[in-house]
């Protein structure tokens, strides 16, 4: 009986070896790559954080508009982690947008033409999540405009 109790206790104390389970609201995931977002016109319009890259996005007065099937990347130079997001789909009523996230370590190298090139390294993990159109934290989008918020960066996901 003691052995079973010890194994259960150990299972709760140790961080998971793989996977990316989180207790964060789905809406908090957005703050890793954007300051604000809206599901509209069959896609997502967002105001990106620094380090955001999406050459396929359409520029609008409200931000960047991304359609399902398009990909975008968020770079975190402090941790040398890149998050590659695939925008999968939007519900027909535009209440949820679904995403797939893959995370990698990366390094920056110079090419022979003296240009910087980003080289993906180790795969860290992946996650599937959705964002909701009617979210509880909409008031928070521009509450602190000069501070970047990255609540999805749990320390156990960013260990070397």
């Amino acid at each position: 009986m003691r052995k079973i109790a010890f194994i259960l206790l150990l299972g709760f104390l140790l961080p998971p070896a793989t996977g990316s389970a989180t207790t964060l609201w789905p809406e908090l995931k957005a703050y890793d790559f954007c300051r604000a977002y809206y599901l509209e016109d069959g896609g997502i319009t967002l105001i990106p954080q620094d380090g955001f890259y999406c050459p396929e996005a359409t520029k609008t007065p409200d931000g960047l508009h991304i359609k399902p099937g398009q990909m975008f990347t968020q770079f975190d130079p402090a941790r040398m982690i890149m998050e590659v997001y695939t925008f999968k789909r939007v519900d027909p009523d535009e209440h949820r947008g679904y995403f797939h996230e893959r995370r990698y370590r990366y390094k920056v190298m110079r090419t022979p033409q003296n240009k910087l090139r980003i080289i993906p390294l180790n795969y860290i993990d992946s996650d599937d999540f959705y964002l909701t159109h009617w979210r509880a934290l909409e008031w928070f989008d521009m509450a602190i405009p000069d501070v970047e918020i990255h609540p999805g960066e749990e320390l156990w996901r960013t260990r070397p």
Side-chain angles (χ1 to χ4, degrees):
M1 188 64 159
R2 288 183 188 175
K3 288 181 182 180
I4 293 172
F6 178 74
I7 290 171
L8 289 174
L9 178 64
L10 192 60
F12 286 116
L13 294 177
L14 290 176
T18 61
S20 57
T22 180
T23 58
L24 293 174
W25 290 345
E27 292 84 3
L28 282 176
K29 293 291 291 183
Y31 293 100
D32 283 343
F33 60 80
C34 69
R35 299 179 194 280
Y37 73 90
Y38 303 95
L39 293 171
E40 61 184 5
D41 299 328
I44 185 170
T45 300
L46 54 87
I47 300 170
Q49 299 271 24
D50 293 340
F52 184 89
Y53 177 71
C54 182
E56 301 173 336
T58 304
K59 291 183 182 180
T60 69
D62 295 329
L64 298 175
H65 188 74
I66 300 170
K67 295 281 188 187
Q70 292 180 327
M71 296 173 63
F72 55 93
T73 305
Q74 178 68 36
F75 294 95
D76 182 356
R79 291 190 173 106
M80 298 301 283
I81 292 175
M82 62 188 279
E83 301 164 335
V84 180
Y85 295 90
T86 303
F87 185 23
K88 294 295 204 178
R89 64 184 172 89
V90 179
D91 283 348
D93 58 4
E94 292 187 348
H95 286 280
R96 285 189 179 177
Y98 295 87
F99 297 82
H100 179 72
E101 170 193 19
R102 293 181 319 276
R103 297 165 44 90
Y104 302 89
R105 294 205 178 280
Y106 73 92
K107 68 179 179 179
V108 179
M109 295 183 65
R110 291 211 176 268
T111 65
Q113 296 80 20
N114 205 25
K115 294 183 180 182
L116 295 178
R117 181 169 180 202
I118 294 172
I119 310 293
L121 299 173
N122 313 27
Y123 167 80
I124 298 173
D125 64 356
S126 62
D127 192 14
D128 291 305
F129 65 97
Y130 66 88
L131 299 177
T132 58
H133 180 73
W134 307 108
R135 61 198 187 282
L137 298 172
E138 187 171 355
W139 60 270
F140 193 62
D141 282 347
M142 294 298 186
I144 310 170
D146 296 331
V147 176
E148 287 199 8
I149 301 166
H150 297 277
E153 285 298 321
E154 297 97 349
L155 290 176
W156 64 267
R157 294 180 76 188
T158 59
R159 286 191 204 139

